[in-house]
Amino acid sequence: MKKLLYVLFIAGVLFPSHTFAATEDEQWPLPNESEYGHHSVLVQDNQALNNSYSILTTYEGSNNFICNSIKDPKCANSTRGDYRALLPVCESEVDVDCIVSLEAINAKGEISPGKFIQYTYNNAHPNRFEGDGIYTPLHASDPSIWSLEGASHSFGSEYGLVVSLSGTFQMGEKKRTESSFSISLFPISRLTTEYTQNDVNGYANYPKCIERYSSFGNRFVGCGGGAQEFGRYRCALKMIESATCLLQHGFPEGFRFRVEVRLANEPTGMFHGRLSNPTIEISPKPVGTTISVEASSMRVPILYSGDQFENLPSEIQSYWNQCLSDGSCRGNSRQISNNWKDPKGRNVQDYALPFGERALKLIDRFASSVKDTSVAAPGSWNIKMLEADQMESAAQCFKTKRGFLGVVSTNSTSYSEGPPLFQDGTLTYKLASLHFLPNGEVFRGRYDLILRSDVARCLYGFSSAPISASVSVITADGQNQVATTVVSEKNNWLHLSAAGFTFSSPRIEVRLTQDSVPLPKPAATPSTTFSPKGQGPKTITCAKGKLKKKITGENPKCPNGYKGVVK
């Protein structure tokens, strides 16, 4: 899906910065640092909040429109479009592109079914659209709120669930290309706030998109939301009703969670997850395909470093001056007007994506300035299909195979872009995180790779014979780090994991092998000897006293004691 312009607007006024004593890592708030001269970097997972609503947009020349359906008159002349559809709860067994169930499983294996309560926006979000089942999924909804009485967390038993399906289409072709699929789960509680009004730019306390005009007069779509919670608390999701913030909380220990969805089409591609020891099941049905994702949650550390420019170490000052000059860092700001060449005349908030070389290098760059310690390590449970730009460097087998190919999951703050890199017979995946958790404990890493067996065999050119594998954790200085590794192949899926290793920037190496299979011995074939034409076996007569015997052969000879008889 084409990226929409996402900007952060604050409803009303800039709130003063103050220290927030979070009671749990999930409630570490985005800092409210709007003063000129303040420079900060943040590396964390993409916020589901920014993508927590359905939207349909189309394009006509240089104009971009928000549509309430494919038949919206203002979108009638568009040539192409894209959508993000949040999936509703299934109402019947023939519904597709919907949520079948949410369950929690305790350490004894006992299953607690989730109970659907309501949708966050009650289908009243201004960007929600009516689907048609051709260009878009038939139904586009909101995040759903569930109760899991058997898996209560510290603040209740409610959970927020976001299942999103995105894609593109060309007008007139009567089909769609699905480009992204994701599932995110959050333990939540409700906080009613007073922020019910739109700000001067038309944005509300909850995220949404609006049509705007550029200085050239063409329409574009801008997306944003209020930042009232900055410096105060952390919202996993929001509601329009009573400007409610659904506060994000930690997962209860000892539980696995399972989400089952039914899709019209099985998604094609590799996935990335924040899932511990995941199990994935893909089941074709008479109607659609069912996908079940089961896993424990994992804690994922956050890197945050920020201060007034004059208080920063000289090497960090040089970094900001250089990256803002050459454009290698993201020049986001809480101020409308900035003098980017003047450290005291700019406000910089670099919200970095957690994957790719840039994110990996940021961990190393800022580790010393934060004493190699993360600011928070909230619990996470999510899975997301890798988008096309993340697959550019992937091996061809990842691009040509159809269907759900596998998932790579880790609790590392930053990680490689795309699937593991296949090179010189090894699948390599880079990680980078700070060494310590906020409480001073050493952070221990986890890595899980689930790969469809035929994809692995395609990469290595293997036959259908059994595969062996080894998993190694290599430190930045090339040493093999001690870790607990598990390898198995079952039901056409290859499962590999490594756990217990430490950071800063290890890489995970997976090498697959297959014993050579001896070729079967060919069956013995009777041989026929042909004699030259006109020749054949000879027969002679041999005698010993009164005894006589005949000897036949190509060159017959009498035995010892016998003499040839001349005819």
Side-chain angles (χ1 to χ4, degrees), residues 122-328:
N122 291 320
N123 289 325
H125 193 282
N127 296 143
R128 181 177 172 270
F129 64 92
E130 294 295 329
D132 67 347
I134 301 173
Y135 291 102
T136 71
L138 186 58
H139 301 290
S141 189
D142 307 323
S144 52
I145 300 176
W146 299 67
S147 174
L148 276 170
E149 295 293 343
S152 296
H153 50 85
S154 300
F155 293 84
S157 60
E158 288 192 336
Y159 287 76
L161 178 60
V162 183
V163 181
S164 177
L165 191 61
S166 300
T168 61
F169 56 87
Q170 298 289 327
M171 289 294 197
E173 292 187 359
K174 293 189 176 182
K175 65 178 182 178
R176 62 184 185 268
T177 301
E178 290 167 351
S179 57
S180 184
F181 171 68
S182 64
I183 306 174
S184 298
L185 182 67
F186 308 91
I188 58 170
S189 66
R190 307 189 191 205
L191 174 67
T192 300
T193 75
E194 68 274 21
Y195 306 113
T196 59
Q197 302 297 316
N198 287 356
D199 66 10
V200 294
N201 299 290
Y203 292 97
N205 73 297
Y206 59 91
K208 68 175 183 179
C209 297
I210 58 177
E211 291 180 6
R212 308 182 71 190
Y213 286 91
S214 72
S215 58
F216 300 102
N218 59 295
R219 288 192 188 188
F220 69 94
V221 174
C223 307
Q228 298 89 351
E229 68 271 24
F230 277 35
R232 300 182 171 197
Y233 44 81
R234 178 68 72 107
C235 303
L237 301 165
K238 291 183 177 181
M239 302 173 68
I240 297 176
E241 180 184 355
S242 302
T244 300
C245 165
L246 298 179
L247 296 169
Q248 182 176 344
H249 298 298
F251 285 86
E253 294 185 3
F255 284 88
R256 291 172 65 81
F257 297 88
R258 180 163 58 218
V259 175
E260 185 174 309
V261 300
R262 186 162 57 242
L263 302 179
N265 304 298
E266 180 182 343
T268 290
M270 279 291 295
F271 283 70
H272 177 268
R274 299 299 199 179
L275 305 167
S276 182
N277 191 22
T279 299
I280 313 292
E281 292 185 5
I282 313 294
S283 304
K285 301 292 182 181
V287 178
T289 298
T290 296
I291 297 178
S292 172
V293 181
E294 179 189 320
S296 301
S297 63
M298 55 171 45
R299 297 180 66 188
V300 181
I302 296 173
L303 165 67
Y304 175 78
S305 176
D307 207 340
Q308 285 290 324
F309 188 85
E310 60 197 38
N311 298 330
L312 298 174
S314 58
E315 64 271 17
I316 300 299
Q317 289 181 343
S318 298
Y319 165 78
W320 285 118
N321 286 334
Q322 181 63 40
C323 77
L324 290 169
S325 175
D326 61 25
S328 59

